[in-house]
């Protein structure tokens, strides 16, 4: 399966930054990419990015959305707006959304259902805290997030789904999970999906790793069994570094 590498800019990057970044990335990568490459700039840069991305193999993602398509939800962004701005993907349930903005598994489930209905592919983020890992709770936490986040969805609906495993203690901290921790956890998630759903279909779900990925560790992580790609935060802001990450696939 082709690897999927996603740049999550978080709340960084103006329209001008996005234009420059895309041009820089294009310069550094061949038109035939080893991996599928997706960029998630802030909402305000999506439309301008789409205009330039049309000439490139890169794709676009939103960083969040509301579960309703229209209505009295001041300040929210509809999935229809994301589609209009050219997004094929949307990041949902990022740990920063959960911990800073109080997003719940139930709300994330509603968003995943809406996204799938509207043909936006969710990049569904899950992950445990450092304490949960130390207390041996990791398996329970991840299973619980998956069960609740995917409640009501049939395996045939979710074979396109992307799961991003992002240990919370590794996000933006410079502390990458070790290859053996990543292999163990991705194996655990894959096994759970195969048991919970139909096994051949569950094998189609892409499981990405995220958490302090950079141009030096990406190559090793991408070779780990059951790692189908990367969700990259901080290191994705620099087009030169991100290009190196893509090339290591
Ligand atoms: C993220 O924001 O999804 C992320 C993994 O961030 P970082 O790469 O900076 O740890």
């Amino acid at each position: 399966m082709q690897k999927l590498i996603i740049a999550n800019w978080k709340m960084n990057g103006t329209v001008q930054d996005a234009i420059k970044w895309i041009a820089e990335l294009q310069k550094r990568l061949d038109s035939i990419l080893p991996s599928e490459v997706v960029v998630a700039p802030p909402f305000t840069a999506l439309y301008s990015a789409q205009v330039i991305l049309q000439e490139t193999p890169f794709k676009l993602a939103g960083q969040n959305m509301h579960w309703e398509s229209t209505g009295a939800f001041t300040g929210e962004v509809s999935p229809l707006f994301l589609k209009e701005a050219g997004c094929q993907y949307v990041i949902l349930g990022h740990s920063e959304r959960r911990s800073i903005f109080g997003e719940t598994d139930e709300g994330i489930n509603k968003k995943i259902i809406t996204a799938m209905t509207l043909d936006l592919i969710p990049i569904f983020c899950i992950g445990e805290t450092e304490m949960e890992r130390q207390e041996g709770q990791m398996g329970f936490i991840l299973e619980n997030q998956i069960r609740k986040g995917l409640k009501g969805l049939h395996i045939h609906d979710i074979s396109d789904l992307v799961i991003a495993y992002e240990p919370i203690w590794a996000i933006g901290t410079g502390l990458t999970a070790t290859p053996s921790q990543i292999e163990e956890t991705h194996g655990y998630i894959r096994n759970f999906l195969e048991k919970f759903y139909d096994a051949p279909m569950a094998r189609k779900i892409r499981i990405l790793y995220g958490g302090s990925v950079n141009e030096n560790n990406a190559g090793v992580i991408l070779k780990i069994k059951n790692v189908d790609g990367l969700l990259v935060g901080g290191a994705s802001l620099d087009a030169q570094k991100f290009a190196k990450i893509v090339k290591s696939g």
Side-chain angles (χ1 to χ4, degrees):
M1 160 186 335
Q2 198 190 23
K3 306 275 187 198
L4 170 62
I5 303 191
I6 302 175
N8 173 21
W9 287 15
K10 313 190 188 208
M11 199 176 71
N12 297 291
T14 61
V15 171
Q16 287 311 315
D17 293 332
I19 293 169
K20 277 193 221 143
W21 186 92
I22 293 164
E24 188 66 32
L25 196 68
Q26 237 183 322
K27 222 172 32 185
R28 292 175 184 276
L29 295 174
D30 298 332
S31 53
I32 298 167
L33 297 171
S35 306
E36 187 178 349
V37 174
V38 177
V39 55
F43 294 130
T44 45
L46 283 173
Y47 186 77
S48 313
Q50 179 203 17
V51 174
I52 334 173
L53 286 176
Q54 278 167 1
E55 311 297 317
T56 77
F58 315 133
K59 297 175 184 164
L60 266 185
Q63 294 181 16
N64 183 30
M65 57 170 240
H66 193 55
W67 56 75
E68 294 289 346
S69 296
T70 53
F73 302 104
T74 302
E76 286 294 328
V77 170
S78 157
L80 297 180
F81 305 163
L82 295 185
K83 285 189 65 118
E84 186 189 31
C87 295
Q88 294 180 32
Y89 289 88
V90 58
I91 299 172
L92 295 175
H94 192 282
S95 72
E96 287 152 15
R97 302 272 347 146
R98 294 177 191 256
S99 66
I100 305 171
F101 301 102
E103 289 206 11
T104 61
D105 292 316
E106 291 68 29
I108 294 161
N109 175 243
K110 288 201 238 176
K111 293 182 181 192
I112 292 176
I113 292 173
T114 303
M116 305 252 42
T117 312
L118 294 172
D119 267 340
L120 270 171
I121 303 174
I123 300 153
F124 169 34
C125 302
I126 58 170
E128 81 288 356
T129 62
E130 188 169 18
M131 192 183 285
E132 287 161 349
R133 180 170 270 268
Q134 278 164 4
E135 287 173 350
Q137 302 253 18
M138 182 202 73
F140 169 76
I141 296 292
L142 299 180
E143 283 187 19
N144 203 38
Q145 288 173 346
I146 296 173
R147 272 182 211 276
K148 290 184 173 164
L150 302 184
K151 194 172 165 203
L153 286 159
H154 187 267
I155 183 67
H156 291 282
D157 303 327
I158 61 167
S159 53
D160 277 350
L161 178 83
V162 178
I163 291 184
Y165 167 60
E166 300 206 299
I168 293 166
W169 46 273
I171 299 180
T173 57
L175 288 174
T176 320
T178 63
S180 65
Q181 284 172 323
I182 298 174
E183 181 166 353
E184 185 201 0
T185 316
H186 279 235
Y188 188 94
I189 296 167
R190 181 76 70 202
N191 270 338
F192 174 71
L193 291 170
E194 286 181 9
K195 266 191 275 157
F196 198 59
Y197 295 105
D198 166 68
M201 291 300 277
R203 272 178 228 130
K204 293 190 182 164
I205 296 175
R206 289 170 289 179
I207 307 173
L208 313 187
Y209 170 77
S212 297
V213 172
N214 59 42
E215 67 284 16
N216 302 316
N217 58 26
V220 171
I221 299 173
L222 281 169
K223 287 191 186 70
I224 299 171
K225 191 165 175 222
N226 285 310
V227 171
D228 303 312
L230 304 168
L231 179 52
V232 188
S236 74
L237 291 171
D238 180 330
Q240 204 176 326
K241 286 186 187 167
F242 188 66
K244 282 192 188 155
I245 292 171
V246 173
K247 280 184 183 165
S248 59

